[in-house]
Amino acid sequence: MLEYPINIVVESLPLGNLLLDKADKNYSEKLATLNQIQEITDDFVLENSKEVKVSPKLAIIYIKETRDVIPQVVQDFIELAQDVFEVFLLDLEFLENFSGYFGAFNARLKNGEMVGFAQAVLFVEEEELLRFKGVYSVAEFKTPEVLLEKLKKNIGIYAYKDLISYQDNICQYHHRREKHCARCVDVCPTFGVSNEDNLMELIFSPIDCIGCGACVGVCPTNCLEYEELPKEGLGEIIEQYKGQKVFLCDTQNYEALVSQNKVLPPDFLPLVLSNLLILNENDLLSIVQTSGYAVVVYTQHLSATMKFLNNITQQIYKQDSIVAVQQVESLAQIAFKLPQIEPYFYKNRYNKPYRESFAQRLQYMVKEKDYGLAKSVSNSHLHKESVFYGEIKVDTQKCTLCLSCVGACNVNAIFARSDDFSLRFNASLCTTCGYCVTSCPEDAMDLGKEGIALKPEWFKSKELAKDEPFLCVECGEIFSTKKSIDKVMSMLGESFANDSKKLKTIQCCPDCKVRVMLNV
């Protein structure tokens, strides 16, 4: 299983300096910039705060070739392992349940027997079990000896960190009546984050988290934060790249480039992050607009977020803002024709859902023109990513302005105005979760996820529906809307037809309703 390094230790700091050409006349200036970036990064490095003891108890999970025959390859591995490990053989066909975590796994067999162990080796193909840290497939290792060495190194105290923090109050899964978002779970390659649909709660397992950051990058509301580089810290780093051509890569690729003695052309300044999956579309646009150039990313495949940003800049500037490269040697040619992007130094609002900041940045790009539709990106092969933007439409004949949709929206994309009894919608803030649609009792709403309409109206609220105020027939105070009362009258009017008091209470405010019923 691929594990993303949390920190990288190189012979000299700052991170990224080994890609600089010392013959570059601006070498000292670039090194000073990387030193500033390193200082920012170091401020957020977490200490190991948790630990677990890993005993030499090892489970080997396999399937018998015939009824009573253990495969020879399994027998050979047992013979190698039993000098160090207490080995438990588990036939997958008799395994009923697998639970626990690295250092403390439990397997329940169909005969009711429970087996406890610290690590496990799979001689079968079982993708779900490989999501656990401490569970390894023999197929991932060149030789049995290499695998055994890995298992031996794990014995002892394993220390780990709480890399991901979580705010449930702005989560679009937590305690909702319907499931409309669990994107963090969908993209997690391990059990770092999982969900309990019976409770509608997310479950975080720091010990299983590999720090890939994918959950942070796909979260539509900023309810997840990567604590080793929070968004405020990332923003400080991005500011160091004003007017610079950026070469963006993760630490894993950085290590590979350094091992090959690669250096960048003098036109580029490296931006090395522990991982790139933490970057949402606002982060990427921040880098582009601060740099003033399209960003070069060292990758084989652009993420869905990167593709979406290119959809936007293709519509507005007729050019990509994110350029993928696989060979450092090609950078010299790219440097001369790297697209320039209109710079913008807007400060992101880190205490708000990131789409508010993204809308501000896009609005600056669009100004007063109409650039057409920047299409959403779905079904990316990379980490099951998708980026959706869209609009809500309301059937005004059905809508009673009950405001259930307003209560369902936790990013303030849908809101009501009390001064004119209108229901309004700001598409630029909408995460297209769809919770408002299923919350509507009148089935009056429809959600489209086509993308962003790059025109000024997209960034302003528009009226979805409107009604007249309804005045209490007793005191004359406004307490509801005409459509709401008409709806209730249509439902209860016939039942209350022979009871004038009850019929009247439908048209009364809460205070007057009591007085009418009690003849006060």
Side-chain angles (χ1 to χ4, degrees), residues 67-98:
R67 184 173 180 181
D68 297 312
V69 177
I70 298 173
Q72 186 62 48
V73 65
V74 176
Q75 295 183 47
D76 293 341
F77 187 79
I78 294 172
E79 187 173 340
L80 289 172
Q82 60 189 4
D83 289 341
V84 177
F85 294 93
E86 181 182 358
V87 178
F88 301 88
L89 274 174
L90 301 178
D91 189 334
L92 184 64
E93 293 183 355
F94 294 95
L95 185 62
E96 187 172 84
N97 180 265
F98 189 104

PDB file of all heavy atoms in Angstrom, residues 67-98:
ATOM      1  N   ARG A  67      -9.251 -29.251   0.628  1.00  0.00           N
ATOM      2  CA  ARG A  67      -9.926 -29.213   1.928  1.00  0.00           C
ATOM      3  C   ARG A  67      -8.945 -29.091   3.092  1.00  0.00           C
ATOM      4  O   ARG A  67      -9.201 -28.363   4.046  1.00  0.00           O
ATOM      5  CB  ARG A  67     -10.802 -30.459   2.093  1.00  0.00           C
ATOM      6  CG  ARG A  67     -11.609 -30.448   3.378  1.00  0.00           C
ATOM      7  CD  ARG A  67     -12.572 -31.602   3.406  1.00  0.00           C
ATOM      8  NE  ARG A  67     -13.353 -31.583   4.636  1.00  0.00           N
ATOM      9  CZ  ARG A  67     -14.274 -32.493   4.952  1.00  0.00           C
ATOM     10  NH1 ARG A  67     -14.535 -33.480   4.105  1.00  0.00           N
ATOM     11  NH2 ARG A  67     -14.925 -32.398   6.086  1.00  0.00           N
ATOM     12  N   ASP A  68      -7.840 -29.795   3.068  1.00  0.00           N
ATOM     13  CA  ASP A  68      -6.949 -29.814   4.219  1.00  0.00           C
ATOM     14  C   ASP A  68      -5.513 -29.433   3.888  1.00  0.00           C
ATOM     15  O   ASP A  68      -4.624 -29.601   4.718  1.00  0.00           O
ATOM     16  CB  ASP A  68      -6.946 -31.212   4.860  1.00  0.00           C
ATOM     17  CG  ASP A  68      -8.310 -31.601   5.407  1.00  0.00           C
ATOM     18  OD1 ASP A  68      -8.899 -30.756   6.109  1.00  0.00           O
ATOM     19  OD2 ASP A  68      -8.766 -32.719   5.114  1.00  0.00           O
ATOM     20  N   VAL A  69      -5.269 -28.901   2.693  1.00  0.00           N
ATOM     21  CA  VAL A  69      -3.898 -28.630   2.288  1.00  0.00           C
ATOM     22  C   VAL A  69      -3.609 -27.129   2.319  1.00  0.00           C
ATOM     23  O   VAL A  69      -4.280 -26.343   1.658  1.00  0.00           O
ATOM     24  CB  VAL A  69      -3.617 -29.193   0.878  1.00  0.00           C
ATOM     25  CG1 VAL A  69      -2.194 -28.837   0.441  1.00  0.00           C
ATOM     26  CG2 VAL A  69      -3.821 -30.700   0.866  1.00  0.00           C
ATOM     27  N   ILE A  70      -2.607 -26.767   3.090  1.00  0.00           N
ATOM     28  CA  ILE A  70      -2.146 -25.379   3.137  1.00  0.00           C
ATOM     29  C   ILE A  70      -1.161 -25.174   1.986  1.00  0.00           C
ATOM     30  O   ILE A  70      -0.252 -25.983   1.797  1.00  0.00           O
ATOM     31  CB  ILE A  70      -1.452 -25.081   4.477  1.00  0.00           C
ATOM     32  CG1 ILE A  70      -2.442 -25.262   5.628  1.00  0.00           C
ATOM     33  CG2 ILE A  70      -0.880 -23.669   4.487  1.00  0.00           C
ATOM     34  CD1 ILE A  70      -1.810 -25.154   6.994  1.00  0.00           C
ATOM     35  N   PRO A  71      -1.307 -24.099   1.185  1.00  0.00           N
ATOM     36  CA  PRO A  71      -0.396 -23.867   0.061  1.00  0.00           C
ATOM     37  C   PRO A  71       1.062 -23.871   0.515  1.00  0.00           C
ATOM     38  O   PRO A  71       1.393 -23.373   1.602  1.00  0.00           O
ATOM     39  CB  PRO A  71      -0.823 -22.490  -0.460  1.00  0.00           C
ATOM     40  CG  PRO A  71      -2.250 -22.353  -0.040  1.00  0.00           C
ATOM     41  CD  PRO A  71      -2.352 -23.052   1.269  1.00  0.00           C
ATOM     42  N   GLN A  72       1.917 -24.425  -0.323  1.00  0.00           N
ATOM     43  CA  GLN A  72       3.332 -24.546   0.029  1.00  0.00           C
ATOM     44  C   GLN A  72       3.971 -23.187   0.287  1.00  0.00           C
ATOM     45  O   GLN A  72       4.801 -23.028   1.186  1.00  0.00           O
ATOM     46  CB  GLN A  72       4.081 -25.266  -1.095  1.00  0.00           C
ATOM     47  CG  GLN A  72       5.543 -25.577  -0.759  1.00  0.00           C
ATOM     48  CD  GLN A  72       5.669 -26.503   0.436  1.00  0.00           C
ATOM     49  OE1 GLN A  72       4.987 -27.530   0.520  1.00  0.00           O
ATOM     50  NE2 GLN A  72       6.545 -26.150   1.371  1.00  0.00           N
ATOM     51  N   VAL A  73       3.576 -22.166  -0.489  1.00  0.00           N
ATOM     52  CA  VAL A  73       4.156 -20.838  -0.315  1.00  0.00           C
ATOM     53  C   VAL A  73       3.842 -20.289   1.067  1.00  0.00           C
ATOM     54  O   VAL A  73       4.644 -19.574   1.684  1.00  0.00           O
ATOM     55  CB  VAL A  73       3.663 -19.879  -1.426  1.00  0.00           C
ATOM     56  CG1 VAL A  73       2.161 -19.635  -1.327  1.00  0.00           C
ATOM     57  CG2 VAL A  73       4.426 -18.562  -1.381  1.00  0.00           C
ATOM     58  N   VAL A  74       2.660 -20.639   1.589  1.00  0.00           N
ATOM     59  CA  VAL A  74       2.286 -20.216   2.943  1.00  0.00           C
ATOM     60  C   VAL A  74       3.132 -20.960   3.971  1.00  0.00           C
ATOM     61  O   VAL A  74       3.647 -20.370   4.936  1.00  0.00           O
ATOM     62  CB  VAL A  74       0.783 -20.458   3.194  1.00  0.00           C
ATOM     63  CG1 VAL A  74       0.416 -20.101   4.638  1.00  0.00           C
ATOM     64  CG2 VAL A  74      -0.062 -19.641   2.222  1.00  0.00           C
ATOM     65  N   GLN A  75       3.288 -22.240   3.777  1.00  0.00           N
ATOM     66  CA  GLN A  75       4.098 -23.031   4.693  1.00  0.00           C
ATOM     67  C   GLN A  75       5.538 -22.521   4.734  1.00  0.00           C
ATOM     68  O   GLN A  75       6.148 -22.426   5.817  1.00  0.00           O
ATOM     69  CB  GLN A  75       4.075 -24.495   4.267  1.00  0.00           C
ATOM     70  CG  GLN A  75       2.704 -25.161   4.366  1.00  0.00           C
ATOM     71  CD  GLN A  75       2.754 -26.629   3.997  1.00  0.00           C
ATOM     72  OE1 GLN A  75       3.629 -27.363   4.461  1.00  0.00           O
ATOM     73  NE2 GLN A  75       1.817 -27.062   3.165  1.00  0.00           N
ATOM     74  N   ASP A  76       6.075 -22.166   3.580  1.00  0.00           N
ATOM     75  CA  ASP A  76       7.447 -21.657   3.528  1.00  0.00           C
ATOM     76  C   ASP A  76       7.579 -20.345   4.291  1.00  0.00           C
ATOM     77  O   ASP A  76       8.576 -20.108   4.995  1.00  0.00           O
ATOM     78  CB  ASP A  76       7.880 -21.456   2.078  1.00  0.00           C
ATOM     79  CG  ASP A  76       8.001 -22.772   1.315  1.00  0.00           C
ATOM     80  OD1 ASP A  76       8.102 -23.833   1.963  1.00  0.00           O
ATOM     81  OD2 ASP A  76       7.996 -22.732   0.068  1.00  0.00           O
ATOM     82  N   PHE A  77       6.572 -19.492   4.158  1.00  0.00           N
ATOM     83  CA  PHE A  77       6.630 -18.201   4.849  1.00  0.00           C
ATOM     84  C   PHE A  77       6.517 -18.399   6.358  1.00  0.00           C
ATOM     85  O   PHE A  77       7.187 -17.705   7.135  1.00  0.00           O
ATOM     86  CB  PHE A  77       5.522 -17.276   4.345  1.00  0.00           C
ATOM     87  CG  PHE A  77       5.627 -15.873   4.883  1.00  0.00           C
ATOM     88  CD1 PHE A  77       6.527 -14.983   4.327  1.00  0.00           C
ATOM     89  CD2 PHE A  77       4.839 -15.451   5.941  1.00  0.00           C
ATOM     90  CE1 PHE A  77       6.643 -13.687   4.824  1.00  0.00           C
ATOM     91  CE2 PHE A  77       4.948 -14.173   6.444  1.00  0.00           C
ATOM     92  CZ  PHE A  77       5.852 -13.284   5.882  1.00  0.00           C
ATOM     93  N   ILE A  78       5.662 -19.322   6.782  1.00  0.00           N
ATOM     94  CA  ILE A  78       5.524 -19.614   8.212  1.00  0.00           C
ATOM     95  C   ILE A  78       6.858 -20.052   8.792  1.00  0.00           C
ATOM     96  O   ILE A  78       7.259 -19.618   9.886  1.00  0.00           O
ATOM     97  CB  ILE A  78       4.451 -20.700   8.438  1.00  0.00           C
ATOM     98  CG1 ILE A  78       3.064 -20.173   8.053  1.00  0.00           C
ATOM     99  CG2 ILE A  78       4.445 -21.152   9.895  1.00  0.00           C
ATOM    100  CD1 ILE A  78       1.990 -21.240   8.060  1.00  0.00           C
ATOM    101  N   GLU A  79       7.549 -20.883   8.060  1.00  0.00           N
ATOM    102  CA  GLU A  79       8.833 -21.390   8.534  1.00  0.00           C
ATOM    103  C   GLU A  79       9.835 -20.254   8.734  1.00  0.00           C
ATOM    104  O   GLU A  79      10.614 -20.254   9.700  1.00  0.00           O
ATOM    105  CB  GLU A  79       9.381 -22.411   7.539  1.00  0.00           C
ATOM    106  CG  GLU A  79      10.636 -23.131   8.027  1.00  0.00           C
ATOM    107  CD  GLU A  79      11.062 -24.250   7.102  1.00  0.00           C
ATOM    108  OE1 GLU A  79      10.221 -24.719   6.311  1.00  0.00           O
ATOM    109  OE2 GLU A  79      12.233 -24.641   7.173  1.00  0.00           O
ATOM    110  N   LEU A  80       9.794 -19.249   7.847  1.00  0.00           N
ATOM    111  CA  LEU A  80      10.673 -18.098   7.983  1.00  0.00           C
ATOM    112  C   LEU A  80      10.257 -17.192   9.136  1.00  0.00           C
ATOM    113  O   LEU A  80      11.102 -16.628   9.837  1.00  0.00           O
ATOM    114  CB  LEU A  80      10.680 -17.285   6.681  1.00  0.00           C
ATOM    115  CG  LEU A  80      11.377 -17.884   5.461  1.00  0.00           C
ATOM    116  CD1 LEU A  80      11.109 -17.024   4.231  1.00  0.00           C
ATOM    117  CD2 LEU A  80      12.870 -18.019   5.695  1.00  0.00           C
ATOM    118  N   ALA A  81       8.947 -17.052   9.332  1.00  0.00           N
ATOM    119  CA  ALA A  81       8.422 -16.075  10.279  1.00  0.00           C
ATOM    120  C   ALA A  81       8.438 -16.553  11.725  1.00  0.00           C
ATOM    121  O   ALA A  81       8.552 -15.737  12.653  1.00  0.00           O
ATOM    122  CB  ALA A  81       7.003 -15.683   9.884  1.00  0.00           C
ATOM    123  N   GLN A  82       8.310 -17.864  11.949  1.00  0.00           N
ATOM    124  CA  GLN A  82       8.064 -18.343  13.311  1.00  0.00           C
ATOM    125  C   GLN A  82       9.273 -18.202  14.247  1.00  0.00           C
ATOM    126  O   GLN A  82       9.129 -18.335  15.461  1.00  0.00           O
ATOM    127  CB  GLN A  82       7.594 -19.795  13.277  1.00  0.00           C
ATOM    128  CG  GLN A  82       8.567 -20.784  12.665  1.00  0.00           C
ATOM    129  CD  GLN A  82       7.937 -22.166  12.468  1.00  0.00           C
ATOM    130  OE1 GLN A  82       6.743 -22.345  12.721  1.00  0.00           O
ATOM    131  NE2 GLN A  82       8.743 -23.120  12.022  1.00  0.00           N
ATOM    132  N   ASP A  83      10.437 -17.879  13.710  1.00  0.00           N
ATOM    133  CA  ASP A  83      11.573 -17.604  14.582  1.00  0.00           C
ATOM    134  C   ASP A  83      11.377 -16.305  15.367  1.00  0.00           C
ATOM    135  O   ASP A  83      11.922 -16.140  16.465  1.00  0.00           O
ATOM    136  CB  ASP A  83      12.862 -17.494  13.756  1.00  0.00           C
ATOM    137  CG  ASP A  83      13.317 -18.843  13.214  1.00  0.00           C
ATOM    138  OD1 ASP A  83      12.864 -19.874  13.756  1.00  0.00           O
ATOM    139  OD2 ASP A  83      14.093 -18.858  12.232  1.00  0.00           O
ATOM    140  N   VAL A  84      10.605 -15.398  14.800  1.00  0.00           N
ATOM    141  CA  VAL A  84      10.385 -14.095  15.434  1.00  0.00           C
ATOM    142  C   VAL A  84       8.944 -13.919  15.892  1.00  0.00           C
ATOM    143  O   VAL A  84       8.681 -13.328  16.949  1.00  0.00           O
ATOM    144  CB  VAL A  84      10.760 -12.950  14.464  1.00  0.00           C
ATOM    145  CG1 VAL A  84      10.459 -11.587  15.086  1.00  0.00           C
ATOM    146  CG2 VAL A  84      12.211 -13.053  14.049  1.00  0.00           C
ATOM    147  N   PHE A  85       7.998 -14.460  15.134  1.00  0.00           N
ATOM    148  CA  PHE A  85       6.586 -14.186  15.360  1.00  0.00           C
ATOM    149  C   PHE A  85       5.831 -15.392  15.918  1.00  0.00           C
ATOM    150  O   PHE A  85       6.175 -16.550  15.643  1.00  0.00           O
ATOM    151  CB  PHE A  85       5.913 -13.756  14.048  1.00  0.00           C
ATOM    152  CG  PHE A  85       6.410 -12.449  13.517  1.00  0.00           C
ATOM    153  CD1 PHE A  85       7.444 -12.396  12.590  1.00  0.00           C
ATOM    154  CD2 PHE A  85       5.859 -11.258  13.946  1.00  0.00           C
ATOM    155  CE1 PHE A  85       7.902 -11.190  12.094  1.00  0.00           C
ATOM    156  CE2 PHE A  85       6.305 -10.044  13.462  1.00  0.00           C
ATOM    157  CZ  PHE A  85       7.332 -10.008  12.539  1.00  0.00           C
ATOM    158  N   GLU A  86       4.805 -15.061  16.675  1.00  0.00           N
ATOM    159  CA  GLU A  86       3.788 -16.044  17.048  1.00  0.00           C
ATOM    160  C   GLU A  86       2.743 -16.011  15.931  1.00  0.00           C
ATOM    161  O   GLU A  86       2.046 -15.010  15.759  1.00  0.00           O
ATOM    162  CB  GLU A  86       3.153 -15.693  18.387  1.00  0.00           C
ATOM    163  CG  GLU A  86       2.094 -16.679  18.849  1.00  0.00           C
ATOM    164  CD  GLU A  86       1.443 -16.278  20.150  1.00  0.00           C
ATOM    165  OE1 GLU A  86       1.830 -15.241  20.736  1.00  0.00           O
ATOM    166  OE2 GLU A  86       0.513 -17.000  20.583  1.00  0.00           O
ATOM    167  N   VAL A  87       2.687 -17.074  15.156  1.00  0.00           N
ATOM    168  CA  VAL A  87       1.911 -17.068  13.916  1.00  0.00           C
ATOM    169  C   VAL A  87       0.535 -17.696  14.123  1.00  0.00           C
ATOM    170  O   VAL A  87       0.411 -18.760  14.747  1.00  0.00           O
ATOM    171  CB  VAL A  87       2.662 -17.814  12.799  1.00  0.00           C
ATOM    172  CG1 VAL A  87       1.829 -17.853  11.514  1.00  0.00           C
ATOM    173  CG2 VAL A  87       4.008 -17.143  12.524  1.00  0.00           C
ATOM    174  N   PHE A  88      -0.499 -17.017  13.567  1.00  0.00           N
ATOM    175  CA  PHE A  88      -1.865 -17.531  13.584  1.00  0.00           C
ATOM    176  C   PHE A  88      -2.322 -17.716  12.144  1.00  0.00           C
ATOM    177  O   PHE A  88      -2.293 -16.763  11.349  1.00  0.00           O
ATOM    178  CB  PHE A  88      -2.808 -16.558  14.303  1.00  0.00           C
ATOM    179  CG  PHE A  88      -2.437 -16.268  15.727  1.00  0.00           C
ATOM    180  CD1 PHE A  88      -1.563 -15.236  16.036  1.00  0.00           C
ATOM    181  CD2 PHE A  88      -2.947 -17.043  16.759  1.00  0.00           C
ATOM    182  CE1 PHE A  88      -1.214 -14.967  17.348  1.00  0.00           C
ATOM    183  CE2 PHE A  88      -2.603 -16.777  18.072  1.00  0.00           C
ATOM    184  CZ  PHE A  88      -1.734 -15.748  18.372  1.00  0.00           C
ATOM    185  N   LEU A  89      -2.732 -18.913  11.804  1.00  0.00           N
ATOM    186  CA  LEU A  89      -3.231 -19.200  10.457  1.00  0.00           C
ATOM    187  C   LEU A  89      -4.733 -18.991  10.409  1.00  0.00           C
ATOM    188  O   LEU A  89      -5.471 -19.574  11.210  1.00  0.00           O
ATOM    189  CB  LEU A  89      -2.898 -20.642  10.069  1.00  0.00           C
ATOM    190  CG  LEU A  89      -1.532 -20.911   9.447  1.00  0.00           C
ATOM    191  CD1 LEU A  89      -1.337 -22.399   9.262  1.00  0.00           C
ATOM    192  CD2 LEU A  89      -1.398 -20.192   8.119  1.00  0.00           C
ATOM    193  N   LEU A  90      -5.181 -18.163   9.468  1.00  0.00           N
ATOM    194  CA  LEU A  90      -6.606 -17.879   9.345  1.00  0.00           C
ATOM    195  C   LEU A  90      -7.052 -18.156   7.917  1.00  0.00           C
ATOM    196  O   LEU A  90      -6.603 -17.493   6.971  1.00  0.00           O
ATOM    197  CB  LEU A  90      -6.903 -16.415   9.702  1.00  0.00           C
ATOM    198  CG  LEU A  90      -6.505 -15.938  11.106  1.00  0.00           C
ATOM    199  CD1 LEU A  90      -6.816 -14.453  11.261  1.00  0.00           C
ATOM    200  CD2 LEU A  90      -7.225 -16.738  12.170  1.00  0.00           C
ATOM    201  N   ASP A  91      -7.926 -19.137   7.763  1.00  0.00           N
ATOM    202  CA  ASP A  91      -8.503 -19.450   6.459  1.00  0.00           C
ATOM    203  C   ASP A  91      -9.598 -18.427   6.164  1.00  0.00           C
ATOM    204  O   ASP A  91     -10.551 -18.290   6.940  1.00  0.00           O
ATOM    205  CB  ASP A  91      -9.080 -20.866   6.467  1.00  0.00           C
ATOM    206  CG  ASP A  91      -9.500 -21.343   5.078  1.00  0.00           C
ATOM    207  OD1 ASP A  91      -9.819 -20.486   4.230  1.00  0.00           O
ATOM    208  OD2 ASP A  91      -9.501 -22.557   4.854  1.00  0.00           O
ATOM    209  N   LEU A  92      -9.460 -17.717   5.057  1.00  0.00           N
ATOM    210  CA  LEU A  92     -10.416 -16.653   4.723  1.00  0.00           C
ATOM    211  C   LEU A  92     -11.852 -17.164   4.667  1.00  0.00           C
ATOM    212  O   LEU A  92     -12.790 -16.447   5.027  1.00  0.00           O
ATOM    213  CB  LEU A  92     -10.033 -16.013   3.385  1.00  0.00           C
ATOM    214  CG  LEU A  92     -10.876 -14.810   2.949  1.00  0.00           C
ATOM    215  CD1 LEU A  92     -10.711 -13.646   3.902  1.00  0.00           C
ATOM    216  CD2 LEU A  92     -10.511 -14.384   1.529  1.00  0.00           C
ATOM    217  N   GLU A  93     -12.033 -18.406   4.248  1.00  0.00           N
ATOM    218  CA  GLU A  93     -13.378 -18.965   4.127  1.00  0.00           C
ATOM    219  C   GLU A  93     -14.055 -19.149   5.486  1.00  0.00           C
ATOM    220  O   GLU A  93     -15.281 -19.236   5.567  1.00  0.00           O
ATOM    221  CB  GLU A  93     -13.326 -20.297   3.384  1.00  0.00           C
ATOM    222  CG  GLU A  93     -12.914 -20.153   1.918  1.00  0.00           C
ATOM    223  CD  GLU A  93     -12.939 -21.469   1.177  1.00  0.00           C
ATOM    224  OE1 GLU A  93     -13.186 -22.514   1.831  1.00  0.00           O
ATOM    225  OE2 GLU A  93     -12.728 -21.459  -0.054  1.00  0.00           O
ATOM    226  N   PHE A  94     -13.266 -19.175   6.555  1.00  0.00           N
ATOM    227  CA  PHE A  94     -13.826 -19.346   7.902  1.00  0.00           C
ATOM    228  C   PHE A  94     -13.767 -18.061   8.715  1.00  0.00           C
ATOM    229  O   PHE A  94     -14.086 -18.051   9.897  1.00  0.00           O
ATOM    230  CB  PHE A  94     -13.077 -20.468   8.644  1.00  0.00           C
ATOM    231  CG  PHE A  94     -13.272 -21.824   8.045  1.00  0.00           C
ATOM    232  CD1 PHE A  94     -12.346 -22.329   7.139  1.00  0.00           C
ATOM    233  CD2 PHE A  94     -14.399 -22.581   8.337  1.00  0.00           C
ATOM    234  CE1 PHE A  94     -12.526 -23.577   6.561  1.00  0.00           C
ATOM    235  CE2 PHE A  94     -14.584 -23.824   7.755  1.00  0.00           C
ATOM    236  CZ  PHE A  94     -13.652 -24.326   6.873  1.00  0.00           C
ATOM    237  N   LEU A  95     -13.363 -16.968   8.043  1.00  0.00           N
ATOM    238  CA  LEU A  95     -13.267 -15.675   8.721  1.00  0.00           C
ATOM    239  C   LEU A  95     -14.595 -14.939   8.617  1.00  0.00           C
ATOM    240  O   LEU A  95     -15.083 -14.648   7.531  1.00  0.00           O
ATOM    241  CB  LEU A  95     -12.158 -14.830   8.073  1.00  0.00           C
ATOM    242  CG  LEU A  95     -11.834 -13.485   8.724  1.00  0.00           C
ATOM    243  CD1 LEU A  95     -11.325 -13.678  10.144  1.00  0.00           C
ATOM    244  CD2 LEU A  95     -10.790 -12.751   7.887  1.00  0.00           C
ATOM    245  N   GLU A  96     -15.203 -14.663   9.773  1.00  0.00           N
ATOM    246  CA  GLU A  96     -16.514 -13.999   9.797  1.00  0.00           C
ATOM    247  C   GLU A  96     -16.397 -12.496   9.948  1.00  0.00           C
ATOM    248  O   GLU A  96     -17.162 -11.735   9.350  1.00  0.00           O
ATOM    249  CB  GLU A  96     -17.359 -14.566  10.938  1.00  0.00           C
ATOM    250  CG  GLU A  96     -18.790 -14.054  10.944  1.00  0.00           C
ATOM    251  CD  GLU A  96     -19.649 -14.777  11.974  1.00  0.00           C
ATOM    252  OE1 GLU A  96     -19.615 -14.360  13.146  1.00  0.00           O
ATOM    253  OE2 GLU A  96     -20.312 -15.763  11.611  1.00  0.00           O
ATOM    254  N   ASN A  97     -15.417 -12.048  10.743  1.00  0.00           N
ATOM    255  CA  ASN A  97     -15.290 -10.610  10.993  1.00  0.00           C
ATOM    256  C   ASN A  97     -13.837 -10.255  11.266  1.00  0.00           C
ATOM    257  O   ASN A  97     -13.117 -11.011  11.919  1.00  0.00           O
ATOM    258  CB  ASN A  97     -16.169 -10.200  12.181  1.00  0.00           C
ATOM    259  CG  ASN A  97     -16.069  -8.716  12.484  1.00  0.00           C
ATOM    260  OD1 ASN A  97     -15.284  -8.320  13.330  1.00  0.00           O
ATOM    261  ND2 ASN A  97     -16.858  -7.909  11.800  1.00  0.00           N
ATOM    262  N   PHE A  98     -13.422  -9.096  10.750  1.00  0.00           N
ATOM    263  CA  PHE A  98     -12.065  -8.583  10.949  1.00  0.00           C
ATOM    264  C   PHE A  98     -12.193  -7.156  11.449  1.00  0.00           C
ATOM    265  O   PHE A  98     -12.810  -6.310  10.792  1.00  0.00           O
ATOM    266  CB  PHE A  98     -11.295  -8.629   9.625  1.00  0.00           C
ATOM    267  CG  PHE A  98      -9.822  -8.330   9.748  1.00  0.00           C
ATOM    268  CD1 PHE A  98      -8.897  -9.356   9.675  1.00  0.00           C
ATOM    269  CD2 PHE A  98      -9.356  -7.035   9.924  1.00  0.00           C
ATOM    270  CE1 PHE A  98      -7.529  -9.098   9.774  1.00  0.00           C
ATOM    271  CE2 PHE A  98      -8.008  -6.768  10.029  1.00  0.00           C
ATOM    272  CZ  PHE A  98      -7.083  -7.800   9.958  1.00  0.00           C
TER     273      PHE A  98
END
